[in-house]
Amino acid sequence: MNRTTTQSTVTRMIAAASVATLATIGFAGCSSNASSSSTTGAASGPIGVSLIVKTTTNPFFVAMEDGAKKAADAAGVTLTLAAGKADGDEASQITAVENAISKGDKGILITPTGPSVEDALVKARAAGLFVIALDTPPTNKDSVDITFATDNYLAGQDIGKWTAAKLAGQKATIAMLDLFGDKIVSVDVNRDQGFLDGMGINTADKAKNGDEAKTGTYSGGDYEIVGNEPTNGAEDGGRTAAETLLSKNPNINVVYTINEPAAYGAYQAFKAAGKTDMIVVSIDGGCAGVKQVKDGIIGATAQQYPVKMAELGVQAIVDLINKGAKPTTSPGLDFYNTGVALVTDAPQTGVDSIDTTKASGICWG
């Protein structure tokens, strides 16, 4: 199930470029098989758009909101903000989708938090709204017109390859701190599976977390997976998950985390247990996370770009409404890849990365 990539660091950092590159993206001929969700033509009045994020307790989604507000102001879009009470709150997102339909919005930008939300998005498209997913590609591809997101599998691979190299042949005793334990979401699965694949571990079913062999060999030596625990992408969840896995095996030396809030919570649990020599890796690249890399709390993180996702999403809806121009997906993918870069101050041979000084200049939050 290895998924190879030949992208260079420069190619991966496309997100550092200005959103002005929209003019050259090629908004013509969407490669999705889904039917168009609305008629097109210049809008007769203000374009109403709802941005629905998973939660506003995570700096990633706060940055996304800020990016969307600035882009909406620049484009003359009337933007409505909504969010779940916590990551995984499908009911609040569904209500926000229904509200967007009832008040006549032209489009929805959303980070879908589960399958029930996707069902609501199908109804929104049937009602004539353009629906664009941000960050999280939906399972049901017909629920959106396009997705603007990080290649989460590649992000996972990057931190996995770095971890394997950093271990230098040592046994890897791994704690897997995922997003959920009760539902399957693409971001969760792709990051987890990408990380294991990057380490050279056979992942069995790439669409499912936790079914790989608990012991075996990675690219540099032997491994043992202590377990998978959900964090809900939150600091307190990361702390609890780490405490649970430490109680099972105090020899953990590799900690994979779904995002930087979970990583920081896990670090606090390990520190309280008297352990500070483990390798912690994550995905986000916010300014707080970059500082944690600089401070040695996180060994490496894969930086993603939520502001760019929001900017592209707002502009895409404007162009869809006013010009009938449909955005295209990235070559070989079923979404538009907004870029990723591995951030570490301990570079490893054969693994492309940038340091925290460079990352600090393009971070968010």
Side-chain angles (χ1 to χ4, degrees), residues 4-6 23-24 29 40 42 44 46 128 140 147 167 202 211 235 237 248 255 293 320-321 328 347 355 360:
T4 58
T5 175
T6 59
T24 60
T40 57
S44 57
N140 179 1
T147 299
L167 283 165
N202 186 344
D211 66 339
E235 183 178 326
K248 295 180 180 180
V255 186
V293 173
L320 283 163
I321 297 298
T328 58
D355 62 22
S360 294

Side-chain angles (χ1 to χ4, degrees), residues 134-150:
L134 306 178
D135 175 61
T136 306
T139 302
N140 179 1
K141 303 304 180 186
D142 289 337
S143 64
V144 300
D145 286 275
I146 194 170
T147 299
F148 293 113
T150 304

Side-chain angles (χ1 to χ4, degrees), residues 26-30 40 130 315-328:
F27 276 16
C30 180
T40 57
F130 287 111
Q315 189 61 52
I317 289 180
V318 171
D319 287 347
L320 283 163
I321 297 298
N322 288 337
K323 304 175 184 178
K326 299 180 181 180
T328 58

